[in-house]
């Protein structure tokens, strides 16, 4: 189990928001914190996720998000000191 940050860029936010939400709900037990920043003038939005999960689970989440047209997602593992709890 590791700690990961995932950045998600959603283009055409209004059209894709339901699909993105479905994927996030599927992985909700792995998401510790979620922050969204809409860009109405650009019809897009940015979501940042803090997750506690395995590398495989994060990869599955990123792949499912990227399978949605107009959605880009990238993850990075954070080096958290042993014994530090995220939540």
């Amino acid at each position: 189990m590791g700690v990961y940050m995932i950045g998600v860029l959603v283009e055409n936010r209004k059209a894709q928001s339901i699909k993105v939400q479905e994927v996030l709900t599927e992985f909700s037990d792995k998401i510790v914190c979620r922050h969204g920043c809409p860009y109405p003038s650009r019809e897009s939005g940015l979501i940042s996720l803090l997750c506690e999960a395995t590398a495989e689970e994060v990869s599955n989440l990123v792949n499912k998000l990227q399978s949605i047209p107009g959605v880009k997602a990238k993850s990075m593992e954070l080096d958290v000191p042993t014994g530090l709890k995220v939540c």
Side-chain angles (χ1 to χ4, degrees):
M1 191 78 77
V3 178
Y4 295 83
M5 290 294 304
I6 301 173
V8 185
L9 177 62
V10 182
E11 297 173 356
N12 197 4
R13 189 171 53 92
K14 289 181 183 178
Q16 302 304 357
S17 62
I18 292 173
K19 294 174 188 169
V20 170
Q21 184 57 46
E22 287 172 352
V23 173
L24 296 180
T25 298
E26 180 182 345
F27 289 88
S28 62
D29 61 326
K30 306 300 174 193
I31 299 171
V32 176
C33 181
R34 171 183 170 178
H35 176 75
C37 184
Y39 288 100
S41 63
R42 297 182 183 162
E43 298 181 8
S44 63
L46 181 63
I47 301 169
S48 60
L49 304 170
L50 176 64
C51 299
E52 245 182 352
T54 65
E56 183 179 358
E57 290 166 330
V58 170
S59 179
N60 289 339
L61 170 55
V62 168
N63 289 337
K64 282 195 174 192
L65 288 167
Q66 291 189 128
S67 72
I68 302 168
V71 175
K72 297 175 185 167
K74 291 204 178 207
S75 67
M76 72 173 183
E77 185 173 12
L78 301 175
D79 186 20
V80 177
T82 304
L84 180 66
K85 292 290 287 174
V86 173
C87 58

